[in-house]
Amino acid sequence: MTPVLSRTLAGVVIVVVAVAGRFVDFRALAGPVKGDEATYIAMAFSLAHDGDLLYDRGDYERFVAANDQIPDGIFLKRAYDLEVDFEASWPPVRIVQTPEPATERLTYGKALIYPLVAAPFVALGGLGGMLAFNLVLLGICVICAVRVAQARAGRWPGLVFGVAFIGATVVPVYTVWLTSELFNFTTVLVAYYLWLYKKVAPAGQGSRGFWTDLVAAVLLGVATYSKLTNALLVAPIGFDYLRQLRFRALALLALAFTAGTVGLFGLTALTSGEWNYQGAAVASDRRTFHSRVPFDDTGTPFEVAGNPMVTNDADTGTVLAPEALALLPTNILYFLFGRHAGLVPYYFPACVLVALFFWRVRRAESWQWTTLLTVAASAGALLIFAPYVWNGGGGPPGNRYFLSLYPTFIALVPVALPAAASVTALLGGALFTLGIVVRPFQASLEPWTNADWPPLRWLPVELTIVDDLPVRLHAKRGRVLFVRDPT
């Protein structure tokens, strides 16, 4: 099959999958809106039908019609008009923010890239189109993982390990989450695939130009915009060029990474009047809403409903406090072996790769070392700066924050990967996650049931993140919060 024909066929399949979303009653399968779904769904529908990222009465009605419920948990911000003034002083350029009336329209308080890319699927398949988009992303991930593993291990061991790398983990569960998690995972995995494949594939296979690394840097910039915890993941590519003393190429890579990150923050500023989608000029101008939302049938005002949720600065006074840093050894233990968010149970193939890496450490490539050190540094930063919520918050299946760091482990696949290691990764990972992966909707809707059986049941409960364990989502089992100012 020629490359043109294969690409055409792939495009046709993607369109058919997107249209097939029209025949899927996603809400009946998935239950009520969960997590940040309300915001991302509303954003994707706004882009698909209005071509903008502004929230008004029409967006509310469209959401209710598609989901048979209000956008519970949506993050909204006051919209601003931006004006650029040129002055004969320093600085010569001044940007003026003018707030728009909240009674007319608002904007969204989440990163725009996932709904922007998903919008064509929504236009073709409605709400089911977002599920179709996630299925396409999952397929791309499996293809990338299998191709890298086969290049290192041969046809059948590589196929088994590539499938295990995705399927024998918690990753497939996030296919039914209409949020940015799987998109971020895919962006990082495709970036590492573009960078690595030419290193591991036989001569004459795969694209070997510098452009693949430039695209990888842009994709990692996009991933960083979507989640800042991904910021260090471009480092292995940069160190690879630094080791080769290719400074001009390194500068171009830095420019590509910056374009991917800063460009999207700039687009956020153009669409909302504020570069930080999690921030606002005034602390009360970014809110999350439950039960009542702006532009609903009762005319709920933006200013008096919802809870202010602004993240303008890092809360270093709390996260770097001595009592928080003292939790680091315990958090490392939980991070590796925790019952609900541990690396071993939910990302078991990564553990197999690390074991193989140190078993054959003398044969390790320099770029494998930098990748392992980068992901260790990223995980360490996560534990230091989010000591009480390092699993991603909200009681997700597995570690939601680590999801976009996990793809980097594909770089650790060794030459001549033993078939036994591939089988171990598949069976060991399935032992922990098969009961979750085969029922992704229930595992997402009732995550407190995921660890009710061994071997997950044998692992320790992560007490440092007790307020964000899955059980907190169960009204009859989660502890009742007591505050002096009743809510």
Side-chain angles (χ1 to χ4, degrees):
M1 185 181 296
T2 65
V4 174
L5 182 58
S6 61
R7 294 189 187 100
T8 303
L9 181 60
V12 171
V13 170
I14 290 173
V15 171
V16 170
V17 170
V19 174
R22 291 281 178 187
F23 304 97
V24 176
D25 190 347
F26 178 81
R27 197 48 64 201
L29 293 170
V33 170
K34 60 186 174 296
D36 295 330
E37 280 187 344
T39 311
Y40 288 113
I41 292 171
M43 293 173 77
F45 271 73
S46 183
L47 284 163
H49 296 282
D50 299 333
D52 62 29
L53 282 168
L54 297 171
Y55 172 86
D56 56 22
R57 172 67 180 179
D59 293 273
Y60 170 82
E61 293 176 343
R62 189 185 298 121
F63 187 97
V64 172
N67 296 273
D68 198 28
Q69 70 169 93
I70 67 169
D72 193 44
I74 194 170
F75 284 83
L76 297 172
K77 296 174 56 177
R78 186 186 297 275
Y80 291 86
D81 283 327
L82 293 182
E83 295 182 2
V84 180
D85 289 344
F86 297 93
E87 300 179 351
S89 61
W90 187 261
V93 178
R94 188 166 63 96
I95 299 177
V96 180
Q97 290 179 309
T98 305
E100 295 188 9
T103 54
E104 296 180 6
R105 58 183 184 176
L106 299 164
T107 188
Y108 299 98
K110 287 291 179 181
L112 57 78
I113 185 59
Y114 168 64
L116 180 64
V117 183
F121 287 79
V122 173
L124 292 173
L127 187 62
M130 292 189 75
L131 175 62
F133 177 57
N134 283 358
L135 288 171
V136 170
L137 293 179
L138 187 67
I140 292 172
C141 291
V142 172
I143 291 171
C144 289
V146 167
R147 283 175 63 83
V148 171
Q150 286 183 329
R152 298 290 267 178
R155 185 177 182 183
W156 292 111
L159 175 63
V160 172
F161 189 86
V163 171
F165 188 79
I166 305 296
T169 69
V170 75
V171 172
V173 176
Y174 285 93
T175 305
V176 303
W177 285 52
L178 304 187
T179 58
S180 63
E181 271 68 32
L182 187 62
F183 174 81
N184 295 337
F185 175 88
T186 306
T187 303
V188 175
L189 182 56
V190 171
Y192 269 65
Y193 167 79
L194 290 172
W195 170 50
L196 290 170
Y197 191 68
K198 58 182 173 291
K199 291 179 175 294
V200 300
Q205 293 186 19
S207 299
R208 297 180 177 273
F210 175 62
W211 69 269
T212 59
D213 292 346
L214 284 177
V215 174
V218 171
L219 289 175
L220 292 172
V222 170
T224 299
Y225 159 80
S226 188
K227 191 171 289 295
L228 287 177
T229 52
N230 299 326
L232 295 179
L233 301 187
V234 73
I237 305 178
F239 278 120
D240 196 24
Y241 279 86
L242 182 62
R243 181 182 60 84
Q244 301 173 52
L245 303 180
R246 297 176 61 182
F247 299 112
R248 183 176 179 181
L250 182 61
L252 290 174
L253 287 170
L255 184 61
F257 175 78
T258 303
T261 307
V262 177
L264 286 174
F265 277 114
L267 183 59
T268 299
L270 289 176
T271 57
S272 69
E274 172 65 45
W275 68 271
N276 181 5
Y277 51 82
Q278 294 190 148
V282 179
S284 60
D285 279 357
R286 181 180 186 260
R287 294 171 174 264
T288 180
F289 296 86
H290 299 274
S291 302
R292 298 189 305 154
V293 299
F295 301 112
D296 60 12
D297 294 335
T298 62
T300 298
F302 173 80
E303 293 85 354
V304 300
N307 300 315
M309 291 287 288
V310 172
T311 309
N312 287 325
D313 302 293
D315 188 12
T316 54
T318 299
V319 300
L320 295 179
E323 60 271 18
L325 292 176
L327 293 176
L328 187 58
T330 304
N331 268 334
I332 291 174
L333 175 66
Y334 289 150
F335 183 87
L336 294 175
F337 302 105
R339 181 185 302 184
H340 301 95
L343 175 66
V344 170
Y346 294 98
Y347 301 97
F348 186 77
C351 303
V352 174
L353 288 175
V354 172
L356 287 172
F357 176 85
F358 286 106
W359 180 38
R360 300 178 172 183
V361 68
R362 292 185 178 181
R363 299 172 62 183
E365 304 279 358
S366 60
W367 42 268
Q368 291 181 313
W369 272 108
T370 54
T371 299
L372 185 59
L373 292 173
T374 296
V375 73
S378 298
L382 185 62
L383 295 178
I384 291 173
F385 288 97
Y388 307 110
V389 68
W390 50 262
N391 68 329
N399 189 332
R400 183 169 64 90
Y401 281 168
F402 187 77
L403 189 67
S404 57
L405 302 181
Y406 173 60
T408 61
F409 282 91
I410 199 66
L412 300 186
V413 178
V415 176
L417 174 73
S422 297
V423 174
T424 300
L426 180 64
L427 297 182
L431 184 66
F432 288 110
T433 62
L434 182 62
I436 303 173
V437 170
V438 297
R439 55 183 191 98
F441 291 105
Q442 185 182 358
S444 302
L445 188 61
E446 300 177 347
W448 57 85
T449 66
N450 295 338
D452 281 349
W453 299 278
L456 288 172
R457 187 73 176 178
W458 299 335
L459 299 176
V461 176
E462 304 90 329
L463 299 181
T464 56
I465 54 173
V466 66
D467 284 334
D468 283 284
L469 293 177
V471 70
R472 285 297 311 278
L473 300 176
H474 194 305
K476 295 183 178 180
R477 292 177 61 190
R479 67 184 182 87
V480 178
L481 289 176
F482 174 81
V483 290
R484 294 186 179 276
D485 181 16
T487 58

